[in-house]
Amino acid sequence: MSGEAAHRTGTRPAASGRPAAPPRTAVVVITRNRRASLLRTLDRLAALPERPPVTVVDNGSTDGTAEAVRARHPGVTLLTPGRNLAAAGRTYGAAALDTPYVAFSDDDSWWEPGALDRAADVLDSHPRLGLVAATTLVGPDAEPDPLNAELRDSPLGQEPDLPGRSVLGFLACAAVVRRTAFLEVGGFHPLLGVGGEEQLLAIDLDAHGWGVAHCPGVVARHDPDAGPRPGRPARMRRNELLTAWLRRPLRRAVARSVRLALDSRTDPQARRALAQA
């Protein structure tokens, strides 16, 4: 098998020249109207030693994203659902795969060399583990994301059959899931879109008996655009409220609603979040 064929199929040749075992982990990337950033991410993923199969879910882009992916990365599987599925596009992509594990990247994130093999080894060794919450390094200087410390110091502690501390939050672009567990709980909820959608998935995995654990040795890279992200603060607060009403006890949902209503008296983002909810 030539190196070109290995890239296109996601199977890298063994040293003997025979095909290696099928890949354990595929990568799903969601994108919308961010062609240049997506192509850079696909270049990074194509250079990984694991040579993972990559699926791009194009959430209704109008900037020529689909055509550019086909031209520059013909080995990538491109799914075009014809509408903006937002975070649920990850579920759409995972459902089309047959690898046991699925790693998520956004169009501005990728994985460190060897990270996907390490995640697969951890998932192989811990059958109750449903999601690996990785360490995230941000920007060209690889600065630690502030969330890393929160995951490392999670008050939930470490269960004996899991490889790291249990968490009920993570970054979607720095997560590797057991595909069967992810699809069993329905994946990312279509109501939430992108922005704070992770907590509800973590709650659902935990409720179904799957572990969600921080594994610091698995490392993702994130290089977000430094520009403003209009509407994101309100969407984050809206999704916190919706998650509370969807999964938390009534008293907690009511308390969060009251808190958001009080904040909305002086905070425009809180007012917008309340109106959206």
Side-chain angles (χ1 to χ4, degrees):
M1 179 182 291
S2 70
E4 170 73 9
H7 169 63
R8 293 171 68 87
T9 63
T11 302
R12 57 188 185 276
S16 65
R18 296 190 300 272
R24 292 177 291 171
T25 307
V27 180
V28 170
V29 186
I30 59 171
T31 190
R32 178 175 167 82
N33 289 332
R34 287 167 53 86
R35 179 178 60 187
S37 182
L38 172 66
L39 292 176
R40 181 185 63 162
T41 286
L42 295 180
D43 290 345
R44 301 273 191 168
L45 294 173
L48 292 177
E50 296 96 325
R51 295 293 182 92
V54 177
T55 293
V56 170
V57 180
D58 181 10
N59 278 324
S61 295
T62 57
D63 65 347
T65 286
E67 294 79 4
V69 170
R70 292 188 185 105
R72 185 152 153 182
H73 288 280
V76 166
T77 299
L78 178 67
L79 301 180
T80 53
R83 62 191 189 280
N84 185 5
L85 299 177
R90 301 185 187 108
T91 313
Y92 187 84
L97 296 171
D98 58 7
T99 54
Y101 311 129
V102 179
F104 298 121
S105 289
D106 289 344
D107 50 28
D108 58 3
S109 71
W110 55 92
W111 293 88
E112 284 275 272
L116 298 182
D117 272 348
R118 282 192 288 275
D121 289 344
V122 169
L123 286 156
D124 282 348
S125 302
H126 299 83
R128 194 171 70 82
L129 181 61
L131 185 147
V132 169
T135 292
T136 308
L137 303 180
V138 180
D141 296 329
E143 296 289 338
D145 189 292
L147 182 62
N148 295 339
E150 295 183 34
L151 298 175
R152 183 192 65 222
D153 300 331
S154 169
L156 298 178
Q158 181 171 346
E159 298 181 54
D161 62 340
L162 295 180
R165 297 181 80 88
S166 294
V167 295
L168 284 179
F170 59 93
L171 285 180
C173 67
V176 184
V177 298
R178 189 180 303 274
R179 180 175 172 273
T180 53
F182 177 70
L183 296 179
E184 176 187 313
V185 304
F188 286 97
H189 200 294
L191 179 64
L192 302 185
V194 174
E197 72 274 19
E198 296 93 345
Q199 185 182 39
L200 193 147
L201 175 61
I203 291 170
D204 286 348
L205 286 167
D206 180 72
H208 282 74
W210 292 104
V212 180
H214 177 46
C215 299
V218 179
V219 180
R221 296 293 299 270
H222 188 201
D223 192 15
D225 190 336
R229 306 174 79 175
R232 187 173 179 84
R235 190 161 57 249
M236 295 283 289
R237 296 204 66 178
R238 180 204 70 173
N239 284 345
E240 288 177 2
L241 180 60
L242 292 176
T243 297
W245 278 102
L246 286 165
R247 296 292 186 268
R248 294 299 192 184
L250 178 61
R251 58 185 175 79
R252 292 194 181 183
V254 170
R256 190 169 289 276
S257 299
V258 170
R259 188 179 310 120
L260 186 60
L262 292 173
D263 289 349
S264 70
R265 296 178 300 177
T266 56
D267 182 350
Q269 296 295 335
R271 281 197 298 275
R272 188 171 301 153
L274 192 62
Q276 291 175 359

